[in-house]
Amino acid sequence: MADWKQYKNGCYEINCTNIEDLQNIIEDHISKIPEYIYRGQSKEEYKLISTLDRFLNKYYEESKINRVMQIKYRNFYTKKHLQGFRKLIRGHVDSDEYFTNDLFTWTLGQHYGLYTPYLDWTDKPYIALFFAALENHENDCCLYCLNRNYINILNEFVREFPPKKYIETYKLDEKDKKYLGIDFKCETNELQIIDPMTNNNKRLSAQLGCFTKTPHGESIEEWIDLITEDYDNHKSGKFLLKIKIDANLKKDILKFLDSANINYSSIYPDLEGISKYCNYVVENNFDNLFNSMYPFCVRKS
């Protein structure tokens, strides 16, 4: 099996071309480290960045907005976006906590397609693998593993020894903060790993979900790379692992996971999940179903 290769400070990757190697990596390596959380992405080239910031970055690029204005615009837009969502969910939710607790509101929106500043993770590698294999079957995918303990240690350094390179990249002076009357707030330079404690989200429970949030909307790779640049002892630390998986494995991965009861109906414990699972069964077993109904017919290809 190939060795892990570093592609940024603190970030390593490995290629996986068959199911057996993938299972061995999961069972013999990463599953034995309880501090990992996992994320699957259906396209290997996707960065570890929130849906909100992926949208905003496209706007920044098209509008050629400088870094200071990007940070200001993000803070302003995030507030307006959350307010708009709260206004429209009135009468559709059964708890007032969605109107008083920002995290709970974002958590609700996250599972119904809302652009949010949070990134989904799970405590279980095979649940993350399901999302990696679910879509874009013509593209290579990947499974990310983020080490909670290592990130917490890095956050302690950030609190005690402010990282110069990171601060230079995202620095705002008092004049900047007051520009256009927008109150800029960022109490931390830390990468947050968040376990929402709410009883009103069945999907979050079924997926054993948690979230990450970077201070200024940068990708997790960028945060680790910039932060560790100031801490030589941590540049080689394995904070983030990336398992790159060939596209031709995706369908077999879904079949394997289905046999372990990891599928639409278990990941999405509602009518939508049940419907999608039934569609999956029909789509992937049509020939068997056809032959069982008409055993003496030969279906033309």
Side-chain angles (χ1 to χ4, degrees):
M1 189 182 298
D3 293 330
W4 295 93
K5 295 182 180 179
Q6 188 173 32
Y7 65 97
K8 281 183 182 291
N9 289 337
C11 304
Y12 288 76
E13 67 182 14
I14 191 171
N15 288 318
C16 188
T17 57
N18 62 73
I19 293 272
E20 291 74 20
D21 281 352
L22 179 59
Q23 286 183 269
N24 288 337
I25 292 170
I26 293 174
E27 296 296 337
D28 298 337
H29 181 65
I30 61 176
S31 289
K32 294 184 178 180
I33 303 176
E35 293 80 19
Y36 278 135
I37 57 175
Y38 307 92
R39 176 175 174 83
Q41 299 205 154
S42 62
K43 284 188 177 182
E44 182 268 327
E45 65 266 26
Y46 285 163
K47 289 184 177 180
L48 287 172
I49 193 167
S50 72
T51 51
L52 178 67
D53 291 295
R54 190 177 295 127
F55 165 77
L56 291 176
N57 284 345
K58 183 178 179 181
Y59 173 80
Y60 299 152
E61 184 178 346
E62 292 173 350
S63 305
K64 298 181 179 179
I65 295 178
N66 64 40
R67 170 57 77 181
V68 171
M69 280 304 299
Q70 287 179 22
I71 296 172
K72 295 178 186 301
Y73 183 83
R74 179 180 186 270
N75 193 55
F76 175 77
Y77 180 83
T78 300
K79 290 179 180 178
K80 291 295 183 182
H81 187 45
L82 185 63
Q83 290 172 2
F85 182 63
R86 279 177 167 159
K87 185 174 182 179
L88 292 175
I89 63 173
R90 291 178 299 182
H92 294 278
V93 293
D94 56 5
S95 174
D96 288 342
E97 68 181 348
Y98 294 118
F99 303 97
T100 58
N101 187 307
D102 289 358
L103 175 59
F104 288 171
T105 314
W106 287 125
T107 299
L108 175 69
Q110 183 90 348
H111 286 280
Y112 289 98
L114 184 74
Y115 292 162
T116 81
Y118 296 91
L119 200 61
D120 283 301
W121 295 77
T122 173
D123 289 333
K124 297 297 181 181
Y126 286 123
I127 291 177
L129 191 61
F130 174 80
F131 289 106
L134 191 57
E135 299 176 342
N136 299 309
H137 287 175
E138 70 282 3
N139 298 106
D140 292 347
C141 62
C142 61
L143 174 65
Y144 282 102
C145 317
L146 185 68
N147 192 305
R148 281 179 181 263
N149 280 6
Y150 286 6
I151 293 298
N152 288 337
I153 291 171
L154 207 53
N155 281 333
E156 290 177 8
F157 273 84
V158 169
R159 288 192 291 269
E160 191 169 352
F161 308 104
K164 294 179 182 179
K165 186 168 183 178
Y166 183 83
I167 290 173
E168 286 172 2
T169 303
Y170 294 101
K171 182 179 180 181
L172 291 177
D173 59 27
E174 291 303 314
K175 183 179 178 181
D176 289 333
K177 294 176 185 178
K178 294 178 181 178
Y179 188 67
L180 296 178
I182 298 172
D183 295 325
F184 174 77
K185 291 183 180 180
C186 184
E187 292 82 8
T188 179
N189 289 318
E190 301 169 31
L191 171 60
Q192 299 178 58
I193 300 177
I194 304 161
D195 292 293
M197 295 302 170
T198 175
N199 195 39
N200 293 318
N201 195 312
K202 291 182 180 179
R203 292 187 178 188
L204 183 69
S205 299
Q207 297 168 20
L208 296 174
C210 56
F211 302 114
T212 56
K213 184 175 184 290
T214 52
H216 299 291
E218 68 276 29
S219 73
I220 289 180
E221 298 100 323
E222 290 169 335
W223 183 87
I224 292 173
D225 187 44
L226 276 172
I227 293 294
T228 53
E229 191 64 32
D230 280 327
Y231 310 132
D232 288 337
N233 292 339
H234 289 83
K235 284 184 180 180
S236 60
K238 290 185 177 179
F239 299 95
L240 179 71
L241 304 182
K242 177 181 181 181
I243 304 171
K244 298 167 66 175
I245 304 167
D246 282 5
N248 59 16
L249 298 182
K250 285 188 173 181
K251 290 187 177 180
D252 288 337
I253 288 172
L254 290 177
K255 288 180 181 178
F256 162 72
L257 293 175
D258 186 29
S259 68
N261 196 35
I262 298 175
N263 50 47
Y264 276 115
S265 64
S266 62
I267 295 295
Y268 300 105
D270 48 38
L271 291 177
E272 181 184 1
I274 292 171
S275 298
K276 286 184 175 180
Y277 180 64
C278 288
N279 291 343
Y280 168 80
V281 171
V282 170
E283 289 168 1
N284 289 273
N285 293 278
F286 186 81
D287 285 339
N288 291 335
L289 292 171
F290 183 90
N291 291 333
S292 67
M293 291 173 65
Y294 305 102
F296 303 107
C297 297
V298 177
R299 191 164 69 92
K300 295 180 180 179
S301 58

